[in-house]
Amino acid sequence: GETVYDAAVGSAGFLCEAYAHLRASKELSASEYEQLQSHTLYGKEKKSLAYVIGIMNMILHGIEAPNIIHANTLGENVMDLQEKDRFNIILANPPFAGSLDYESTAKDLQQIVKTKKTELLFGALFLRLLQTGGRAAVIVPDGVLFGSSNAHKALRKILVEDQKLDAVISMPSGVFKPYAGVSTAILFFTKTNSGGTDNVWFYDMQADGYSLDDKRTPQPDKSDLPDILTRWQSREDETERKRTDQSFLVPKDEIAGNDYDLSINRY
C-alpha cells in the first residue's frame, strides 16, 4: 500500500530490490500483486541510455509495466504537481559532484536550499516529494555531512530541526569501486515538517561483504550489514554505547552545537 520512489533511477537497482523484497515479504493476494505491479514503484531518470537500461532491468526482474519517466528530475517545469507530497518511501543514490545553473533548476528547490550542487538539490527535492510521515534512505557523498557552505549547513539544519533525522551510516570509500572511490554515507530521515529529531544514530560501517578494491571480491564473513540491520531495529536501546563503539546515539543539541556537522568523526 505504500509508494516507493527513486529520483535518479539509473539501472533501477533500488526499485528492483524493493520489488523483490516486497514479493518475498508475504504471500500476496491478486489485488496486492496488482498494487505492487502498477501502483508502488516510481522513478525518474535523465540520461537516455540509463533510462532504457533501467526499464529493461525492471522488466527482467518481473515488473511488467515500469512507472519510470525520462526527464531531468531537478529541472524547471519538470516537477509534476501531482508528485508533491506524494510518496511514502524514497530510496536513492543521486549523482554526486554535479552542478546546475540556477536558471535551469526548479525554483521551489532553490527556495529550500540556494545552491548549484546536485547532491544538495536532490536533498531538497526529496523533502518536497515525501508525504508527511514519509521516510527516506539516501546515499550522499561525505561532503554533505560536513560541508561548510551556507547551502550545506542549511540542508543539514532542515533535516535536524524541521524534520526527523533518524540515522547516519558512514560507509568505507571502496563500496562504489571500480566506478568511484569517494567516501559516502546513508542518511535516514522522516519528513515531519514539525521537527522530532531527538537522538541521531551513527554507525561506522567497516565492511559490506566485499573487498574494498577494484575487484570487489565477495567476502561474506566480513560484513557489518547484519549487525547494522539488527541494531537499526533496536537503535533506541543504544544509549549506553560508548563513542568508541561502532554505533552510538548523539543528542540533537550536541549536533546543533557543532553547526549540524553529521560526520561520525566529529562525535
Side-chain angles (χ1 to χ4, degrees):
E2 292 188 313
T3 50
V4 180
Y5 184 80
D6 185 347
V9 165
S11 59
F14 280 11
L15 295 180
C16 291
E17 289 295 331
Y19 174 78
H21 176 73
L22 290 165
R23 280 297 309 268
S25 63
K26 57 179 277 194
E27 190 165 334
L28 301 179
S29 67
S31 62
E32 287 172 333
Y33 181 72
E34 167 62 20
Q35 176 88 11
L36 176 58
Q37 278 285 349
S38 304
H39 307 291
T40 299
L41 305 168
Y42 297 88
K44 278 186 183 177
E45 173 54 45
K46 176 183 178 182
K47 294 183 177 179
S48 299
L49 180 58
Y51 168 73
V52 173
I53 292 172
I55 291 279
M56 185 64 71
N57 198 21
M58 291 178 74
I59 292 171
L60 290 172
H61 279 82
I63 302 160
E64 295 159 9
N67 292 310
I68 306 299
I69 297 172
H70 184 203
N72 178 4
T73 315
L74 299 174
E76 182 66 288
N77 299 325
V78 170
M79 177 69 70
D80 185 341
L81 290 175
Q82 292 179 325
E83 290 185 347
K84 186 176 184 296
D85 305 324
R86 175 180 176 185
F87 300 106
N88 301 108
I89 297 166
I90 286 179
L91 305 173
N93 177 18
F96 302 159
S99 182
L100 295 175
D101 294 333
Y102 290 130
E103 297 73 29
S104 61
T105 307
K107 299 297 183 287
D108 56 340
L109 300 183
Q110 295 289 352
Q111 290 169 2
I112 299 173
V113 55
K114 182 75 170 176
T115 183
K116 296 180 181 180
K117 290 184 175 291
T118 53
E119 59 264 37
L120 301 180
L121 290 167
F122 271 106
L125 175 74
F126 299 149
L127 292 174
R128 192 185 188 284
L129 294 178
L130 282 173
Q131 291 183 18
T132 301
R135 296 98 67 206
V138 181
I139 297 174
V140 297
D142 269 4
V144 172
L145 306 181
F146 55 78
S148 57
S149 76
N150 290 336
H152 281 90
K153 293 178 183 178
L155 180 62
R156 295 197 301 264
K157 184 175 181 180
I158 289 169
L159 290 175
V160 173
E161 297 289 352
D162 301 340
Q163 315 299 335
K164 183 176 184 292
L165 181 62
D166 298 297
V168 180
I169 296 178
S170 71
M171 297 195 289
S173 59
V175 295
F176 287 110
K177 285 187 174 180
Y179 310 107
V182 64
S183 293
T184 54
I186 316 172
L187 296 180
F188 291 80
F189 56 90
T190 304
K191 178 176 176 177
T192 64
N193 286 337
S194 59
T197 305
D198 184 12
N199 293 299
V200 178
W201 187 64
F202 284 81
Y203 194 106
D204 185 15
M205 184 202 295
Q206 301 289 333
D208 68 343
Y210 295 86
S211 64
L212 296 173
D213 55 17
D214 285 353
K215 292 183 179 178
R216 294 289 279 156
T217 309
Q219 297 178 337
D221 57 328
K222 292 184 179 179
S223 177
D224 290 329
L225 297 181
D227 187 55
I228 290 172
L229 186 58
T230 300
R231 292 188 179 280
W232 160 260
Q233 291 169 341
S234 57
R235 60 193 181 280
E236 300 304 328
D237 300 331
E238 301 246 311
T239 51
E240 301 303 317
R241 300 269 285 176
K242 297 184 179 69
R243 295 291 175 89
T244 51
D245 290 333
Q246 205 163 355
S247 65
F248 49 81
L249 292 170
V250 178
K252 184 189 89 167
D253 291 347
E254 185 177 347
I255 293 172
N258 278 313
D259 230 357
Y260 301 98
D261 193 316
L262 297 176
S263 52
I264 194 167
N265 293 339
R266 169 72 69 161
Y267 305 102

